[in-house]
Every structure is written in structure tokens, then in C-alpha cells.
């Protein structure tokens, strides 16, 4: 998708002074955005329903009059749309401010689940086995920071034990057997992302859930709760909570052309599956997430979910075709100087994600992007953009050598990316690499 630079308030430009080679040069050229794993623009239909809700559904959804009823009806319809997108029921959807809040809510719930179960056991009403020691959480070493840092904080302050299971350096997937081997009697939560934002690798969530549910059937076993962060998967591949078998699934709007709000799927919140609020207030979202609802943004989320349900196969096919063409063009241009960091034997990859390194001593990812005239992309997760020149810990964890990881570019295509965009990006990268090699 080519965008006029004048329409972009920010261009890709690192703030580190040593990176300022020729930032903001050629501001009149068409920029080509290939950073859809960082965020997506809102679909026109999504903008329209948000605008309509801002104008017409401004009432408080808790009010017992027409203005409130109109806002509540929009929220209810959006809840149904989001539930349908993930194969759940409307009552299983809790709206949140975004993925970070949803992920924190799951970890908070797991802690409360452990505490309340152990308290009940002390009084003869709960499962005794697993109540000695701290609650134990299992995750992987390639999760989003809202999982990793929250779990690390709980461990640092002495509230939980955490096991970060490393992904395979061959497949870049977490191994099901490694997850099961990490389970202890006091394990209360397993949280593994559905797809990685840098490599695009899809994790074996269904197999993990099947194995853990067998463990949960054991007599006197503390129930292990199962969570997946589906931020990068939604809108790109089919996501069905029934097939996956999860208790919780994180939904992030701005990854599938919706506004920056989110939701948490919970399989029967408060009945089949525990959910404990972090906030207390006016009782909205059935007391699970109080606070007056952001009706326009929820309306946009619902519309975007509706579009995914109706068009996923077309979106997926287009992105896969464009990504394959991108990889072919890069291979043609750079030949033996290219290394794909999103190709792993036996692993399925998101249809839109190409992580690639152009090999050479002066071709670090930040340097290449700083000198591209048209390409807007990133070297990894946007939330790690302040980490300087260090190679991505995700790629290092997946077995990518440090000198290769340092040169990584994460190119993620979108619904409107064209082959002409790809041709232009390939030429832009060719010219940039040629320039940097001459400078070196």
C-alpha cells in the first residue's frame, strides 16, 4: 500500500543520533507501508461505523432511555460479531482497552484462581494437591512483553514462580513435550501466543490444550488454565476457540484493521472459567471490566470482526500470494546474500510475514531502513523499538545467528499490498544496499 508521505505524521526514523544518515529525505515520494504486524489502518467501513456511533450513539449504555439503549444495542451487536469471528458465544466476550489489558487480566485471574482454590482447600472445599508453594505459570520465551514482563514482575515480587519454555532453534515453535515437562502440581496457567509477531511461526496451541486437558482430568489436580494471545493471528488465519480448546484468547483490534481497543474471550466467564476483575467500579461488562464503555471504538471493533468473518479466505489468499512474490523478488535481487528468518522446517507461518536479513557488515536492519526512500517497515516488534541496535531476542531464541539477526527486516504485507508495491520495495532495497556498501 503506497501512502503519500505528507499523510504520514511520522516516518520510519530511529531516534538514536548515530542513525541519522538521511532521515526524512525525499518527503514527496510515495511511501510503501509493510509494517502491518505493528498496526493496521482502519477499514473505511470501520471508520464509517465509528463516525456514526460518535454522532448518534453518544448515550451512556447503562442509561434506561433511548440514547442509552441505542449505545447498548451497538455494543451487543459488536459482542456478537467478535464472538462469531473466534467461534465463541457473545457472553464469552469481555471488551478491554487492548491486548495488554486482556493479557494482564488473564495473569491476574490465574493468581486469584490459585489463591481461592488453596483457600478453599484449607477449609476442606477445594483441591489440596498443588497448594503448597507459589502459583506456577508456564509461558514461552518469545511472548509479547505484556505476558513476559507481567510474569517476570510477579516472580520478582515473590508472588509467582514462572517457567519460560524456550522455543526450538530448528522449528521456532514451542515443543508440546517441553510444555508438559514443565508442569508442576502448583501450575495454574499456561500462556503461549498463537503466532509470533516477528517470525510468523504458528504455535501448536491445539495440541498443548489437548494434552493439558488430559492432565486436568486427574483426580485432585489443580486446574491448569489455558490462554493464547491471538493478536497476530486474527484476520490472517482461521481462529476457532472450540478447535483450539483454550480457556482464554486475547483479541487486539488494531492488528485487523480495527481501532485500538481489544477484547478477551473467556469460555464461560465466572461459570465454566474463572475471571477476576482487576478494576472495580460501575459494574459494566458484568463487573469483569467496569468503566463506561467506549461505544464508538467497540462499534469499530465489531465491524472489523464482521469483515474478517466474511472475507478471511480472500484476505489470507491475497496476503500469501503477495508474501510469496515478495520473497521471490528478494531472492532474485540479492541471491546468496539473503537469509529468510521466517522459514522453519515443519512450522506453519502467517501468510503475511517475511522476516529477512540481507547479509553484509554494513547492512544492519536499522541502517537499511533509515536509508530506504520508500519502504516503511521495522526490524522487529514496535514495542521493542527503543532497544537500540541489539539483535532481536526473538530471532536469537529461534536459532538465528547474532550477525544475521542484527540485519533483520520484518516485512509484513497487508490486504491492499500489491505486486507493484513489492517491485518498488525490492528496487528500493537494492539501491539502499548498493549505497551502504559503497559507503562502507
Amino acid at each position: 500500500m503506497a501512502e503519500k508521505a505528507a499523510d504520514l505524521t511520522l516516518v520510519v526514523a530511529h531516534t538514536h543520533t548515530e542513525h541519522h544518515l538521511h532521515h526524512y529525505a525525499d518527503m514527496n515520494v510515495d511511501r510503501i507501508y509493510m509494517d502491518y504486524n505493528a498496526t493496521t489502518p482502519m477499514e473505511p467501513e470501520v471508520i464509517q461505523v465509528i463516525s456514526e456511533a460518535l454522532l448518534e450513539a453518544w448515550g451512556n449504555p447503562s442509561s434506561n432511555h433511548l440514547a442509552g439503549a441505542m449505545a447498548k444495542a451497538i455494543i451487543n451487536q459488536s459482542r456478537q460479531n467478535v464472538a462469531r469471528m473466534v467461534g465463541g458465544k457473545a457472553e464469552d466476550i469481555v471488551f478491554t482497552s487492548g491486548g495488554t489489558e486482556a493479557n494482564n487480566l488473564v495473569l491476574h485471574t490465574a493468581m486469584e484462581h490459585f489463591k481461592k482454590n488453596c483457600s478453599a482447600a484449607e477449609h476442606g472445599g477445594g483441591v489440596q494437591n498443588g497448594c503448597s508453594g507459589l502459583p506456577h505459570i508456564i509461558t514461552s520465551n518469545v511472548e509479547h512483553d505484556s505476558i513476559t514482563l507481567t510474569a517476570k514482575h510477579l516472580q520478582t515480587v515473590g508472588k509467582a514462580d514462572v517457567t519460560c519454555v524456550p522455543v526450538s532453534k530448528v522449528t521456532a515453535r514451542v515443543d508440546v513435550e517441553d510444555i508438559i515437562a514443565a508442569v508442576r502440581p502448583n501450575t495454574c496457567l499456561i500462556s503461549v501466543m498463537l503466532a509470533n509477531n516477528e517470525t510468523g511461526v504458528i504455535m501448536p496451541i491445539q495440541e498443548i490444550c489437548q494434552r493439558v486437558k488430559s492432565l486436568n482430568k486427574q483426580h485432585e489436580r489443580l486446574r491448569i488454565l489455558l490462554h493464547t494471545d491471538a493478536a497476530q493471528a486474527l484476520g490472517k488465519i482461521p481462529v476457532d476457540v472450540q478447535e483450539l480448546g483454550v480457556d482464554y484468547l486475547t483479541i487486539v483490534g488494531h492488528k485487523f484493521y480495527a481501532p485500538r481497543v481489544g477484547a478477551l474471550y473467556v469460555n464461560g466467564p465466572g461459570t465454566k472459567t474463572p475471571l477476576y476483575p482487576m478494576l472495580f467500579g460501575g459494574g459494566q461488562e458484568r463487573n469483569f471490566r467496569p468503566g463506561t464503555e467506549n461505544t464508538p471504538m467497540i462499534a469499530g471493533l465489531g465491524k472489523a470482526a464482521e469483515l474478517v468473518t466474511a472475507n478471511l479466505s480472500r484476505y489470507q489468499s491475497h496476503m500469501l500470494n503477495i508474501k510469496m512474490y515478495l520473497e521471490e523478488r528478494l531472492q532474485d535481487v540479492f541471491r546468496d546474500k539473503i537469509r529468510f528468518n521466517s522459514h522453519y522446517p515443519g512450522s506453519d507461518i502467517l501468510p503475511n510475514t517475511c522476516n529477512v536479513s540481507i547479509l553484509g557488515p554494513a547492512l544492519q536492519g536499522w541502517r537499511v531502513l533509515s536509508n530506504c526512500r520508500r519502504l516503511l517497515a521495522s526490524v522487529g516488534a514496535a514495542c521493542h523499538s527503543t532497544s537500540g541496535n541489539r539483535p532481536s531476542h526473538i530471532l536469537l531464541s529461534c536459532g538465528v545467528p547474532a550477525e544475521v539477526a542484527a540485519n533483520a527486516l520484518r516485512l509484513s504485507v497487508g490486504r491492499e499490498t500489491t505486486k507493484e508495491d513489492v517491485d518498488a520495495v525490492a528496487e528500493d532495497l537494492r539501491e539502499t544496499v548498493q549505497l551502504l556498501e559503497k559507503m562502507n
Side-chain angles (χ1 to χ4, degrees):
M1 182 178 94
E3 294 279 3
K4 285 289 184 184
D7 294 336
L8 295 170
T9 56
L10 292 175
V11 297
V12 170
H14 297 260
T15 57
H16 311 287
T17 54
E18 68 270 22
H19 298 187
H20 289 176
L21 300 178
H22 58 262
H23 298 152
Y24 310 111
D26 302 311
M27 289 292 285
N28 61 334
V29 302
D30 284 341
R31 297 279 176 169
I32 298 170
Y33 186 77
M34 285 194 181
D35 204 14
Y36 289 89
N37 282 8
T39 199
T40 59
M42 286 188 284
E43 287 281 10
E45 299 98 316
V46 172
I47 295 172
Q48 182 180 347
V49 300
I50 291 173
S51 299
E52 290 171 356
L54 283 166
L55 288 169
E56 301 167 12
W58 44 263
N60 190 319
S62 298
S63 297
N64 293 319
H65 48 59
L66 184 60
M70 183 181 293
K72 189 160 192 169
I74 288 173
I75 290 169
N76 288 341
Q77 182 60 58
S78 293
R79 201 183 305 277
Q80 291 177 8
N81 290 349
V82 173
R84 193 175 298 118
M85 176 178 67
V86 299
K89 301 173 184 175
E91 57 265 31
D92 295 335
I93 301 300
V94 177
F95 291 118
T96 67
S97 61
T100 292
E101 182 188 345
N103 285 346
N104 273 263
L105 185 54
V106 171
L107 287 157
H108 169 77
T109 290
M111 300 290 289
E112 290 294 310
H113 161 67
F114 180 89
K115 184 168 70 175
K116 289 182 184 295
N117 190 84
C118 292
S119 178
E122 289 176 7
H123 297 91
V127 175
Q128 192 72 44
N129 186 27
C131 282
S132 59
L134 296 171
H136 178 231
I137 297 166
I138 298 174
T139 186
S140 83
N141 65 340
V142 295
E143 299 296 313
H144 187 270
D145 276 353
S146 58
I147 290 291
T148 302
L149 296 182
T150 306
K152 183 179 179 181
H153 170 73
L154 291 170
Q155 181 163 265
T156 300
V157 298
K159 292 185 177 179
D161 285 333
V162 179
T163 300
C164 287
V165 175
V167 296
S168 164
K169 291 187 182 294
V170 176
T171 65
R173 289 169 26 129
V174 68
D175 190 274
V176 178
E177 296 302 327
D178 290 344
I179 292 287
I180 299 304
V183 170
R184 305 175 190 170
N186 57 330
T187 301
C188 61
L189 174 70
I190 296 174
S191 177
V192 176
M193 60 176 30
L194 185 49
N196 186 263
N197 60 300
E198 292 192 31
T199 63
V201 168
I202 299 168
M203 300 294 177
I205 303 302
Q206 184 179 31
E207 294 91 330
I208 291 170
C209 290
Q210 287 171 347
R211 292 288 300 276
V212 172
K213 285 185 176 180
S214 296
L215 290 178
N216 280 341
K217 290 177 182 176
Q218 294 177 5
H219 184 60
E220 292 295 300
R221 154 92 243 175
L222 174 69
R223 177 182 172 186
I224 303 171
L225 303 172
L226 295 159
H227 168 245
T228 191
D229 181 345
Q232 289 296 337
L234 290 165
K236 299 169 188 170
I237 60 173
V239 176
D240 188 305
V241 291
Q242 306 303 323
E243 289 182 9
L244 292 172
V246 292
D247 297 312
Y248 311 94
L249 182 137
T250 294
I251 297 162
V252 181
H254 75 101
K255 305 296 188 183
F256 59 94
Y257 295 74
R260 287 177 186 151
V261 290
L264 180 66
Y265 160 84
V266 186
N267 183 19
T271 54
K272 292 166 66 176
T273 303
L275 186 64
Y276 296 104
M278 292 190 294
L279 306 173
F280 297 89
Q284 295 87 350
E285 293 299 291
R286 291 152 289 164
N287 279 314
F288 295 124
R289 201 286 184 180
T292 304
E293 300 92 337
N294 189 344
T295 306
M297 297 305 119
I298 290 173
L301 185 71
K303 185 62 179 181
E306 180 187 327
L307 292 172
V308 168
T309 301
N311 302 300
L312 178 61
S313 59
R314 179 166 61 85
Y315 295 157
Q316 184 176 6
S317 175
H318 173 78
M319 287 187 286
L320 181 59
N321 287 337
I322 294 297
K323 183 186 79 167
M324 290 175 66
Y325 182 68
L326 173 63
E327 292 185 347
E328 288 171 10
R329 291 290 289 115
L330 293 174
Q331 192 79 65
D332 289 344
V333 171
F334 296 106
R335 302 193 178 276
D336 59 351
K337 289 174 61 176
I338 204 101
R339 154 80 188 252
F340 291 104
N341 308 314
S342 48
H343 291 181
Y344 297 92
S347 292
D348 293 325
I349 308 295
L350 290 173
N352 80 316
T353 305
C354 169
N355 195 304
V356 63
S357 295
I358 305 167
L359 305 181
L363 302 179
Q364 291 82 12
W366 64 264
R367 183 170 278 142
V368 171
L369 291 178
S370 294
N371 283 270
C372 282
R373 294 181 65 248
R374 302 191 64 185
L375 173 63
L376 298 175
S378 63
V379 296
C383 54
H384 294 153
S385 61
T386 58
S387 60
N389 303 346
R390 295 192 301 275
S392 160
H393 80 275
I394 300 290
L395 295 183
L396 297 177
S397 297
C398 296
V400 178
E403 65 276 11
V404 176
N407 289 21
L409 308 173
R410 184 188 67 179
L411 308 178
S412 47
V413 302
R415 298 172 187 175
E416 305 299 328
T417 310
T418 65
K419 287 188 175 180
E420 289 74 22
D421 291 334
V422 169
D423 289 338
V425 163
E427 179 60 19
D428 193 19
L429 285 170
R430 186 191 67 77
E431 292 176 356
T432 301
V433 166
Q434 193 173 49
L435 169 70
L436 289 174
E437 287 180 333
K438 282 182 180 177
M439 290 169 60
N440 194 48

